[in-house]
Amino acid sequence: MASGCCGAKAAAGEGMASEAYLAGEAVLEARELVAELCRHFYGMGWVTGTGGSITVKVNDPAVPLADRLIVMSPSGVQKERMVSEDMYVMSADGKVLSAPVGKPWPNKPPKCTDCAPLFMKSFVVFKAYLMRGAGAVIHSHGMETCIATMLNPGAKEFRMTHMEMIKGIKGHGFRDELVIPIIENTPYEYELTDSLSEAIAAYPKATAVLVRNHGIYVWGDSWINAKTQAECYHYLLDAAIRLYQLGIDWSTPEHGPINSAKRLGSIMGPGITNGCHAAESSKCVVLDIEGTTTPISFVTDVMFPYARDNVRKHLTSTFDSEETKEDIKLLRTQIEDDLRNGISGAVPVPPDDASKDEVVNALVANVESMIKADRKITSLKQLQGHIWRTGFEKKELQGVVFEDVPEALKKWHDSGIKVYIYSSGSREAQRLLFGNTTYGDLRKFLCGYFDTTTGNKRETRSYFEISQSLGVDSPSQILFITDVFQEAVAAKNAGFEVIISIRLGNAPLPENHGFRTIKSFSEI
């Protein structure tokens, strides 16, 4: 077999791959894999009638993923009879390096799939937008992928939340809202290239695009990841169709009845017909927590002290758990960065082979310093979330929200407005707080959560990222409510509608700040 270097050059378009490399083990395995997947997907109804396509990057560790050769199933061929010799082999820039030999009548001559421009454009888009490189793309014509796009002909996206299989989609959890963009079909598949690329760019969190009355494209960093996600997408789309038949709303946490045309319109996204006065033009509401939904005193006088007082106990008792190992890994990375930058309070952490007590002592010193400085960093927030989880489970903590918050959440929810949380606290901490309040579990009114993994709350690009994730037509359809002037400015610069919350204990605002203010959500 030729060296990986030869394959890399061919994939990069610098020259044709050698016959030895094309006949080598890595390419042969990819050919056989695609043929096997075609036969498997035929049995699942995804590629019947010769429709659908599969492309897989050749697994050659010696070649960077972006430069690897691509094996593609041909167009117009009976997928259940596919064998490895039927596959096309292409370079990363789309040049055909190896084509299948024609079969006797009545078989049609082999043809490079009409989807080829789409698959090639997809890989380019992923790279251009700094997404993880795709290792495989699956195009299915499964019945559920067509019908789900027909439930609301004007919808530009499909939305679902609180379904177990959402956890199988990259970057999503059970309580997150899954958003899949929908593009319009065209007479010829290659004509979808531009709209598919635009959808991939506009929805950076998505790993699939639906084509109305046609099918779905699903991608992953490996064929296993793409296949797993495709199975989850098909399950969820099928579930939505069945729930629709039962009159059940699949897009809301409680999955209540679809009780009006307005509700149906909100399920798949073109916008709401009315709402709550100032929020009536908003499709989504994004809420800060501290000083907005929850008194600052609760966070500073209850939550932070609890985490500080229990950090040693938590690290010691869970030291060998996988979760705490990950927490310690993140803290080590942050502390090393702090030491390089001369951050006050940072102390070196002993290596892994040091004693447990030595490591814990150093971590506690760093965490206490971070808490004292009220640092908004992911490593600290993640650890705090895990400590608070124990506190809530033991009923030593109970979430506090302003009395006007539950009623407003319910009102927005009933009006079809999606409500999200964006806080410097971890997503787990957010769920714990709203799931254990003095007013009961409020999570049924929330569609998703954003934290510092999205970005700094005082940076405009963080709000741009949120608007892309929510898939609104315009950032102006999002109402952001916060108590922090700098956050308000950042969100406004991203195009959001912004209101500043004035609550007891909140920091004063600059004169002539230019934002609308409220003292209660009842004013919205």
Side-chain angles (χ1 to χ4, degrees):
M1 177 176 173
S3 68
C5 180
C6 175
K9 287 184 178 180
E14 297 174 8
M16 299 300 288
S18 70
E19 292 297 327
Y21 186 81
L22 291 175
E25 182 178 355
V27 175
L28 177 60
E29 287 181 352
R31 286 173 175 266
E32 292 176 343
L33 171 63
V34 174
E36 179 187 351
L37 290 175
C38 285
R39 295 192 297 269
H40 177 63
F41 292 160
Y42 175 84
M44 299 173 70
W46 294 5
V47 293
T48 53
T50 77
S53 297
I54 305 169
T55 60
V56 171
K57 289 263 188 172
V58 173
N59 182 25
D60 186 347
V63 181
L65 181 62
D67 295 331
R68 294 179 189 175
L69 302 183
I70 298 169
V71 172
M72 179 180 292
S73 62
S75 177
V77 178
Q78 304 296 318
K79 300 295 193 298
E80 77 277 18
R81 298 177 62 84
M82 285 281 191
V83 293
S84 62
E85 292 80 6
D86 293 328
M87 302 302 142
Y88 281 88
V89 181
M90 309 173 72
S91 64
D93 58 1
K95 292 184 175 66
V96 176
L97 305 179
S98 175
V101 176
K103 295 180 180 180
W105 186 89
N107 293 285
K108 293 182 178 180
K111 182 177 66 172
C112 195
T113 175
D114 291 336
C115 306
L118 293 169
F119 284 122
M120 301 315 302
K121 192 68 172 281
S122 298
F123 285 112
V124 172
V125 170
F126 296 152
K127 186 174 181 181
Y129 287 89
L130 302 180
M131 296 180 179
R132 292 185 178 180
V137 180
I138 296 171
H139 176 41
S140 164
H141 286 188
M143 182 68 72
E144 56 268 45
T145 68
C146 294
I147 295 178
T149 66
M150 301 166 69
L151 299 182
N152 184 350
K156 296 181 179 179
E157 55 196 32
F158 171 90
R159 291 174 176 266
M160 175 177 272
T161 188
H162 284 66
M163 290 286 284
E164 176 66 16
M165 294 298 277
I166 291 177
K167 291 161 57 177
I169 307 302
K170 180 180 177 181
H172 291 77
F174 170 73
R175 294 189 178 92
D176 291 329
E177 184 178 42
L178 175 67
V179 181
I180 312 173
I182 302 174
I183 61 176
E184 299 302 321
N185 196 24
T186 58
Y188 299 100
E189 205 152 3
Y190 67 83
E191 295 176 345
L192 293 171
T193 302
D194 290 339
S195 56
L196 177 67
S197 301
E198 291 169 2
I200 292 171
Y203 291 78
K205 194 176 180 181
T207 55
V209 173
L210 283 162
V211 183
R212 197 182 314 281
N213 305 354
H214 180 139
I216 191 171
Y217 291 89
V218 182
W219 55 88
D221 54 14
S222 68
W223 72 268
I224 293 177
N225 181 259
K227 174 178 175 291
T228 299
Q229 292 189 96
E231 291 169 349
C232 292
Y233 281 119
H234 281 77
Y235 174 96
L236 293 167
L237 294 169
D238 183 55
I241 295 168
R242 298 187 188 204
L243 290 170
Y244 174 79
Q245 293 170 332
L246 295 171
I248 297 174
D249 184 350
W250 59 90
S251 73
T252 57
E254 76 279 10
H255 299 307
I258 301 173
N259 52 26
S260 69
K262 179 188 69 177
R263 167 71 75 181
L264 177 59
S266 72
I267 286 175
M268 297 182 69
I272 58 173
T273 55
N274 63 45
C276 313
H277 302 293
E280 66 182 2
S281 63
S282 299
K283 184 176 179 180
C284 307
V285 174
V286 178
L287 301 172
D288 171 50
I289 293 180
E290 187 178 356
T292 301
T293 66
T294 301
I296 289 178
S297 58
F298 173 72
V299 178
T300 58
D301 299 344
V302 178
M303 298 289 281
F304 284 173
Y306 186 90
R308 182 194 63 225
D309 296 343
N310 287 275
V311 61
R312 182 182 298 277
K313 179 180 178 181
H314 175 82
L315 289 174
T316 301
S317 62
T318 64
F319 190 81
D320 294 321
S321 70
E322 290 302 317
E323 182 177 81
T324 298
K325 287 180 180 178
E326 179 62 26
D327 289 346
I328 292 174
K329 180 180 177 181
L330 283 176
L331 284 169
R332 282 184 180 276
T333 300
Q334 182 64 55
I335 293 166
E336 289 171 0
D337 188 56
D338 291 348
L339 290 169
R340 284 193 297 268
N341 293 310
I343 301 297
S344 176
V347 298
V349 179
D352 290 330
D353 57 3
S355 70
K356 174 179 173 180
D357 288 342
E358 289 178 308
V359 174
V360 169
N361 287 339
L363 290 172
V364 169
N366 281 283
V367 169
E368 288 179 344
S369 176
M370 293 174 180
I371 293 175
K372 183 178 180 180
D374 191 20
R375 297 184 63 188
K376 314 294 186 182
I377 48 179
T378 300
S379 58
L380 172 63
K381 297 304 178 181
Q382 179 169 301
L383 175 65
Q384 286 177 319
H386 294 153
I387 297 173
W388 289 328
R389 180 181 60 201
T390 301
F392 281 108
E393 289 174 349
K394 293 182 176 180
K395 306 300 182 183
E396 295 173 352
L397 290 172
Q398 187 172 35
V400 175
V401 297
F402 295 112
E403 63 180 0
D404 53 276
V405 170
E407 182 179 351
L409 292 180
K410 183 178 185 303
K411 182 184 293 186
W412 288 328
H413 176 269
D414 291 346
S415 298
I417 298 175
K418 308 289 186 178
V419 183
Y420 301 83
I421 303 298
Y422 182 28
S423 171
S424 57
S426 68
R427 294 197 300 173
E428 180 169 21
Q430 297 172 31
R431 294 188 184 105
L432 288 168
L433 191 154
F434 287 100
N436 299 274
T437 77
T438 52
Y439 295 92
D441 189 346
L442 301 179
R443 291 174 298 182
K444 60 187 176 182
F445 302 127
L446 303 174
C447 288
Y449 308 84
F450 297 95
D451 61 12
T452 54
T453 59
T454 299
N456 189 301
K457 292 185 69 182
R458 301 190 179 196
E459 295 181 0
T460 297
R461 62 185 178 184
S462 302
Y463 298 90
F464 175 76
E465 177 67 24
I466 289 175
S467 70
Q468 295 292 290
S469 297
L470 298 186
V472 294
D473 294 329
S474 169
S476 62
Q477 293 179 308
I478 305 173
L479 170 63
F480 178 56
I481 308 175
T482 180
D483 66 304
V484 179
F485 173 70
Q486 293 86 346
E487 295 175 5
V489 171
K492 180 180 179 180
N493 288 340
F496 285 37
E497 180 182 355
V498 180
I499 293 176
I500 293 183
S501 171
I502 306 294
R503 306 280 193 175
L504 184 65
N506 288 6
L509 296 173
E511 293 185 11
N512 303 317
H513 54 76
F515 290 98
R516 179 189 170 187
T517 62
I518 58 168
K519 294 183 179 180
S520 168
F521 284 0
S522 63
E523 300 175 40
I524 302 176

